[in-house]
Amino acid sequence: MKTQFITPNDTIRENDSASIQAAVDLAKKNGINKVVIPRLNARTGEEKWIISETVKLPSDITVVLSDCFMQMADDVVGGFFKSENLFTEWGTDPARKMHNIHIKGEGRAILDGGRPTVLNEETQREIGIPVRLNSPIILMNVEGFSIENIEILHQRYWGMRLQFCSNGVVRNIHFDICRDRRNQDGIDLRNGCHHILIENISGQTGDDMIALSAFDRAAAPPFEKYDVIVKGESWDIHDVEIRNVSGAAILHPLVALRNHNGAKIYNIHIENLRDTEQTQPAYEEGNTPLHGVPYVPGRRYALVLLGHNAYCTTPSVMGDTYNITLKNLHATYSSAVVLTHSTVKDLVISDVFASGKCSAILTVMGNEWGDDTLGVQMDNALIENVNFECKIHDSAIIDYRYMRKGDFVKGLKLSNVSSSGVDTFARVHKRCEEFDVALDETCDCPREILTTEPPEVMQADITYLPFRSTISRKDI
């Protein structure tokens, strides 16, 4: 009978990483293309696999984590799995794209980041190694992939980083993070990712639970050999569907979209988001944690962040972020439903329920980054089917009290928006050059618009006209 898979118990070496790597290499060599990591480690007799060196995955490989527990060894740099092209010359070659890499959990499959290491965002330049190497899973320039049915605990950096990857699925991932180290994102799609489905994500992360970040550039000293840009390929992130996300992202949004330096984000559909209460305290007031970020009382961000003006050299411009659909959003513990920052065009927000700690449906980031980074430019947006049961003082449907000169809102339409306990319809900074809003007759909410600096009623017209949205979801 032909062997259907290889296990690291068939290829025992001097340590667990070497045993797993040997199993992967043998499966590839023999054309079996499947490795199963079982619960029992025959080398040690324990139900644990200690990873001291990242396992490199070739094209056309499936790794099954069969009810197994894997943990990072102390004082090593790296993660659990990476595509074998990562940080190689051929990894940045568009003609040498990798294909069909699959990591699948069965039963309860756990990846545990173990103890923190000395490599972090503050020490990476001194050490000369980018901290992103500590991510548990990194795939680079891969077409056709899946990562599913895995728990990720105590990660040392982002849970998974996908760079120039396409036609893939990430599903059934649970995070359990208490933010004892800096920047513990969940799932990061970076430049060049497209046609990807992310679904059924839960738990708690120490930063963004899901981040679409199109702002990487060619690697600069001292990290030239760690380049993550595929030469000649588009830097855009597009045609991504995210659905069924429930959890807490400590001090950050569940889903964040950020793009700079001419990279675009478009055709994004996000559906079924629900925030939950933090299951572990990030840290106590007055205490500075290991990662060095001070306590910020009450800061919970929003369910979704659209854009950011303070990350890289050239912020996005109008037309860089477009065709964004947000549907079925439940905000109870977040400060707002959607935080709009930078630019967005052709935005639909529908089927929203907000209560608890939520004080706005739309807002902009506070002034922690400086006045020159605040505000939004919005063109053609629809908000519909909203139930806002507000329990917070100083609240508004739209809170744009921080804006820059030249910022504007054009063609914003609201339909079937009902609220209780909300102080006013909108707060808008006087620097906002245009605030063009229309509410139809189905809206049951305050209508007053207040300006900030000075706090007086803004001289702006709001029309109450029936309308039919022409914005529709793109098939992806």
Side-chain angles (χ1 to χ4, degrees), residues 100-142:
N100 304 324
I101 295 178
H102 304 283
I103 304 170
K104 180 181 180 181
E106 291 182 350
R108 189 179 184 191
I110 298 175
L111 304 181
D112 186 341
R115 296 169 58 85
T117 68
V118 295
L119 179 63
N120 55 48
E121 289 187 337
E122 286 73 33
T123 63
Q124 60 179 342
R125 290 196 170 274
E126 178 183 350
I127 295 173
I129 300 174
V131 65
R132 59 177 173 260
L133 283 177
N134 272 340
S135 300
I137 298 174
I138 308 179
L139 300 183
M140 170 79 177
N141 199 19
V142 177

Side-chain angles (χ1 to χ4, degrees), residues 425-440:
F425 171 70
R427 284 186 170 84
V428 183
H429 197 284
K430 66 179 183 180
R431 286 192 294 248
C432 183
E433 292 195 354
E434 183 175 357
F435 190 67
D436 170 28
V437 179
L439 290 81
D440 72 12

Side-chain angles (χ1 to χ4, degrees), residues 117-410:
T117 68
V118 295
L119 179 63
N120 55 48
E121 289 187 337
E122 286 73 33
T123 63
Q124 60 179 342
R125 290 196 170 274
E126 178 183 350
I127 295 173
I129 300 174
V131 65
R132 59 177 173 260
L133 283 177
N134 272 340
S135 300
I137 298 174
I138 308 179
L139 300 183
M140 170 79 177
N141 199 19
V142 177
E143 182 177 15
F145 68 91
S146 62
I147 305 169
E148 53 187 322
N149 306 329
I150 298 172
E151 289 184 47
I152 299 180
L153 318 178
H154 312 128
Q155 64 209 44
R156 295 172 176 174
Y157 202 56
W158 305 333
M160 57 187 74
R161 177 189 180 115
L162 307 176
Q163 193 91 29
F164 288 91
C165 292
S166 61
N167 298 307
V169 175
V170 179
R171 63 160 61 99
N172 302 332
I173 307 296
H174 182 80
F175 294 95
D176 189 357
I177 310 299
C178 65
R179 206 179 192 228
D180 62 342
R181 55 207 89 171
R182 190 180 181 90
N183 215 333
Q184 292 174 304
D185 286 16
I187 300 163
D188 277 49
L189 305 189
R190 308 291 289 196
N191 289 64
C193 286
H194 60 89
H195 293 92
I196 293 172
L197 169 64
I198 301 174
E199 65 177 352
N200 306 336
I201 312 301
S202 62
Q204 180 168 286
T205 55
D207 211 294
D208 308 329
M209 184 164 285
I210 301 170
L212 279 57
S213 304
F215 50 63
D216 290 313
R217 293 169 290 173
F223 303 136
E224 299 95 327
K225 67 179 181 180
Y226 300 108
D227 203 355
V228 291
I229 298 299
V230 178
K231 301 176 180 67
E233 292 280 276
S234 169
W235 291 19
D236 300 347
I237 297 175
H238 61 90
D239 295 284
V240 175
E241 182 167 1
I242 300 170
R243 63 193 187 204
N244 306 334
V245 180
S246 175
I250 300 174
L251 309 184
H252 287 80
L254 289 182
V255 180
L257 279 61
R258 303 180 182 94
N259 49 313
H260 283 64
N261 305 319
K264 294 178 170 56
I265 294 182
Y266 60 93
N267 294 353
I268 309 298
H269 183 85
I270 301 172
E271 185 171 356
N272 298 337
L273 300 188
R274 183 185 298 270
D275 62 0
T276 62
E277 192 169 13
Q278 292 176 188
T279 58
Q280 302 178 56
Y283 34 77
E284 305 246 338
E285 185 169 2
N287 178 41
T288 300
L290 292 176
H291 52 71
V293 178
Y295 178 82
V296 184
R299 178 181 168 193
R300 285 300 306 271
Y301 265 76
L303 282 181
V304 180
L305 167 65
L306 300 179
H308 205 295
N309 290 319
Y311 264 61
C312 292
T313 53
T314 308
S316 63
V317 298
M318 180 57 70
D320 283 352
T321 307
Y322 62 94
N323 287 348
I324 312 296
T325 300
L326 312 176
K327 184 177 181 180
N328 198 12
L329 309 178
H330 292 254
T332 303
Y333 299 96
S334 299
S335 296
V337 179
V338 179
L339 198 160
T340 50
H341 206 40
S342 193
T343 68
V344 62
K345 180 179 175 65
D346 300 339
L347 169 68
V348 175
I349 302 172
S350 66
D351 305 318
V352 176
F353 179 78
S355 65
K357 298 180 180 180
C358 191
S359 64
I361 303 301
L362 284 182
T363 189
V364 295
M365 187 172 291
N367 61 358
E368 60 186 298
W369 294 87
D371 284 345
D372 59 337
T373 69
L374 307 178
V376 64
Q377 297 177 2
M378 178 184 294
D379 186 8
N380 190 30
L382 168 66
I383 301 175
E384 62 180 354
N385 305 330
V386 175
N387 184 2
F388 187 9
E389 298 179 0
C390 187
K391 302 176 183 179
I392 302 296
H393 176 65
D394 196 27
S395 57
I397 304 294
I398 300 172
D399 189 344
Y400 282 169
R401 68 184 72 190
Y402 299 108
M403 297 286 266
R404 302 159 300 176
K405 184 177 181 180
D407 283 343
F408 58 83
V409 175
K410 298 178 181 179

